[in-house]
Each structure stands twice: as structure tokens, then as C-alpha cells.
């Protein structure tokens, strides 16, 4: 299984911190600042083991819409939706997606990766 993850976060500092943490855990990380950039990365035929996306982002779609797109187009990709501002309504995330509240501790991130079957 690939150990490549796609991190989608519009706040550069949060994205960099999350990417650095995941890299330190042994994952290959691609970064995108919004859903439009994420769609470009996905279109390059990369096989991502997981998508970690913020909810509130500028661009053509928010993180929940991106999560649904990825769930329907890349069925093997695990999905983690993150936010410090919003709590998704019951049933609004794709089946099997996880929600993580910001700020994300390394412990919470490790637990979510473990649930997704992605052990560092």
C-alpha cells in the first residue's frame, strides 16, 4: 500500500506543520492550498492512501465537497476531514470518513491514521 498522503489546508502554517508531522512519521506528503490544487494533484494519477482536508477553504469547493468527490472517485483513499471552526452535521461526510478537530495533536493524528489502516 502506498504511504502517500494529500494534505489540503489553506492556512500555510497549519499545512506545513501537519505535513512536517506526517513526514516525520514516515509518510510521503503532497500539499495543496485548496480543493482546486488538490484536484490537480489527484489528476496526476497519484495513488494517495489518504486525504486530509480542511473544511473551510477558498476555491471552487469546500473540504466536505472535496471529500465526497474523492470518496466517489478514489475508493481506496481514506478520508480525514479537519476543522477548528465547524463540526460536520451527522451524515454530511462520506461513509467511513473521520473528523478531526483542530488543533490536531500528534496522538489524535496517530489514532486517526491507525483507524484508517495507515500505521507509521
Amino acid at each position: 500500500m502506498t504511504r502517500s498522503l494529500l494534505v489540503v489546508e489553506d492556512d500555510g502554517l497549519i499545512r506545513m506543520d501537519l505535513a512536517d508531522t506526517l513526514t516525520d512519521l514516515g509518510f510521503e506528503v503532497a500539499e495543496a492550498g485548496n480543493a482546486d490544487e488538490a484536484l490537480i494533484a489527484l489528476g496526476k494519477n497519484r495513488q494517495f492512501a489518504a486525504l486530509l482536508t480542511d473544511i473551510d477553504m477558498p476555491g471552487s469547493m469546500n473540504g466536505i465537497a472535496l471529500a465526497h468527490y474523492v470518496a466517489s472517485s478514489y475508493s481506496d483513499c481514506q478520508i480525514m476531514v479537519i476543522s477548528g471552526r465547524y463540526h460536520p452535521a451527522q451524515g454530511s461526510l462520506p461513509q467511513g470518513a473521520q473528523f478531526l478537530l483542530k488543533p490536531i495533536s500528534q496522538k489524535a493524528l496517530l489514532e486517526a491514521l491507525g483507524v484508517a489502516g495507515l500505521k507509521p
Side-chain angles (χ1 to χ4, degrees):
M1 169 180 257
T2 180
R3 295 184 54 78
S4 185
L5 310 178
L6 177 57
V7 174
V8 187
E9 167 64 62
D10 62 316
D11 183 310
L13 291 175
I14 293 172
R15 185 176 65 244
M16 183 176 63
D17 184 51
L18 191 54
D20 287 348
T21 299
L22 292 166
T23 299
D24 289 347
L25 291 171
F27 293 97
E28 178 183 321
V29 179
E31 299 178 44
N34 57 45
D36 300 316
E37 291 178 12
L39 293 174
I40 292 169
L42 289 162
K44 291 181 179 178
N45 294 324
R46 299 215 29 204
Q47 294 293 325
F48 292 105
L51 166 75
L52 290 88
T53 183
D54 188 22
I55 291 178
D56 188 25
M57 298 181 293
S60 64
M61 67 176 80
N62 67 19
I64 292 177
L66 177 62
H68 280 282
Y69 172 80
V70 169
S72 66
S73 301
Y74 302 89
S75 60
D76 291 340
C77 185
Q78 300 297 311
I79 299 171
M80 293 171 226
V81 176
I82 58 178
S83 182
R85 196 174 306 162
Y86 302 103
H87 287 79
Q90 180 100 16
S92 66
L93 297 180
Q95 185 173 349
Q98 298 182 66
F99 175 71
L100 301 170
L101 186 62
K102 289 183 196 175
I104 305 167
S105 69
Q106 185 169 355
K107 179 182 179 202
L109 188 57
L110 283 168
E111 287 174 7
L113 291 166
V115 168
L118 302 169
K119 303 275 184 193

